[in-house]
Amino acid sequence: MPKRKVLHYDAFSSIANMGNPAGVVLEADDLDEKSMQAIAEKVGFNETVFITSSKKADFRLRYFTPGHEINLCGHATIASMYCLKTLGLLQNKDSITIETNVGNLPISFANRKGDLFITMKQDQPRFIPYHGSISALADSMGLPEETIDISKPIVYGSTGTWTLLIPIKGLDPFARMCPNNEMFPEVLRENPRSSIHPFCIETMDRNAFMHARHFSSPYSGTKEDAITGTASGVMGAYYLTYLNENSEAADFFVEQGQEIGRDGRVHVQVIRNESKMDVYISGTGVFVQEFEVQYP
């Protein structure tokens, strides 16, 4: 069987084995979709990103869970851009454009207090109301129904990847969450391939504004995402859409991963632009290791 070199980077943390792990495969033009999927399955991370050439942008990125391809992944983008920049593969550029399945997106690089931070723009936010059972939704997370904060909207949100945003009453329920991912397609009837993203506006870190966990669709082949870039970005758009409709911008940090020992931070910035919102997320990364996988 052929072998492929995979670079393991952790995104949204500068400490190895914190944040969110991603597999990065460089110079992947020779790989077809079937091979990419097989490699991602062997790697086993929530996402593996394949960097190929592009006629429309500086690079094309394709993202695969162990189960299927997804259109956009925040943490794998941050990881792969950190990889390219620190390996000197960007000719000292401070900004580039990447081609993704949701279109071309700008990427910029900056140093913050000695750490390299990558900023990516996400797709325009979209929301769909959730009309399913609140009781069944709570049960799918292993929680009593009263822990869900129904004073705030429960909605599917996307800035490139769909997730169900579920407001929770405070931090305490997060440590007790025990998801039954196999229930999700039946509970999420409007969007059965969606993940779910419980969050609250109470944090462990006083410098963060929102706390969250992220439970994967059963079709993805994983259970939980440690710290989620696309969902963090759409939480910023959620905040301006439903919680602070009069504000022109949002700028805050999201914390995630503490319950599973993968503490990380996402910097979220959202700016109203007439009838649209421009959504940006930023984070750093760290190289962990290089390994090879065999694939059919």
Side-chain angles (χ1 to χ4, degrees), residues 199-212 235-236 239 243-244 250-255 265-266:
F199 72 95
C200 71
I201 305 178
E202 181 182 350
T203 59
M204 300 178 184
D205 180 354
R206 62 184 180 85
N207 294 316
F209 180 66
M210 287 187 179
H211 180 89
M235 283 203 299
Y239 175 73
L243 305 185
N244 195 344
D251 188 329
F252 56 77
F253 282 89
V254 174
E255 64 177 24
R265 301 288 183 279
V266 183

Side-chain angles (χ1 to χ4, degrees), residues 19-67:
N20 203 350
V24 180
V25 179
L26 300 171
E27 299 178 345
D29 291 83
D30 61 311
L31 296 172
D32 59 18
E33 184 174 314
K34 184 178 179 180
S35 297
M36 291 181 183
Q37 185 64 71
I39 291 169
E41 184 178 4
K42 288 286 187 178
V43 171
F45 293 153
N46 278 45
E47 276 82 21
T48 297
V49 56
F50 297 84
I51 303 177
T52 69
S53 59
S54 172
K55 296 181 180 179
K56 302 177 181 178
D58 291 280
F59 298 94
R60 183 184 181 194
L61 271 60
R62 296 185 69 177
Y63 311 91
F64 287 79
T65 75

Side-chain angles (χ1 to χ4, degrees), residues 139-287:
D139 190 41
S140 75
M141 295 184 288
L143 293 176
E145 182 176 352
E146 59 268 21
T147 59
I148 295 180
D149 184 359
I150 59 172
S151 70
K152 300 178 179 66
I154 301 171
V155 295
Y156 300 92
S158 174
T159 51
T161 302
W162 286 103
T163 193
L164 183 69
L165 298 169
I166 308 166
I168 302 295
K169 295 177 180 176
L171 277 173
D172 288 346
F174 283 83
R176 306 198 305 272
M177 291 176 180
C178 185
N180 183 345
N181 304 60
E182 297 302 321
M183 292 179 62
F184 294 173
E186 177 63 24
V187 175
L188 311 179
R189 292 185 180 182
E190 302 97 340
N191 198 344
R193 300 187 74 88
S194 175
S195 57
I196 70 173
H197 195 76
F199 72 95
C200 71
I201 305 178
E202 181 182 350
T203 59
M204 300 178 184
D205 180 354
R206 62 184 180 85
N207 294 316
F209 180 66
M210 287 187 179
H211 180 89
R213 292 183 74 175
H214 187 90
F215 303 125
S216 308
S217 160
Y219 303 108
S220 71
T222 61
K223 292 290 186 181
E224 180 167 1
D225 202 38
I227 181 157
T228 316
T230 50
S232 295
V234 84
M235 283 203 299
Y238 176 100
Y239 175 73
L240 288 186
T241 302
Y242 299 106
L243 305 185
N244 195 344
E245 299 176 32
N246 296 320
S247 179
E248 292 301 311
D251 188 329
F252 56 77
F253 282 89
V254 174
E255 64 177 24
Q256 193 182 326
Q258 289 92 338
E259 292 84 2
I260 56 173
R262 301 285 312 197
D263 188 14
R265 301 288 183 279
V266 183
H267 184 201
V268 178
Q269 295 173 292
V270 184
I271 302 167
R272 289 191 197 273
N273 185 4
E274 297 180 350
S275 61
K276 298 182 179 180
M277 291 186 190
D278 293 328
V279 179
Y280 302 87
I281 63 164
S282 304
T284 189
V286 60
F287 173 72

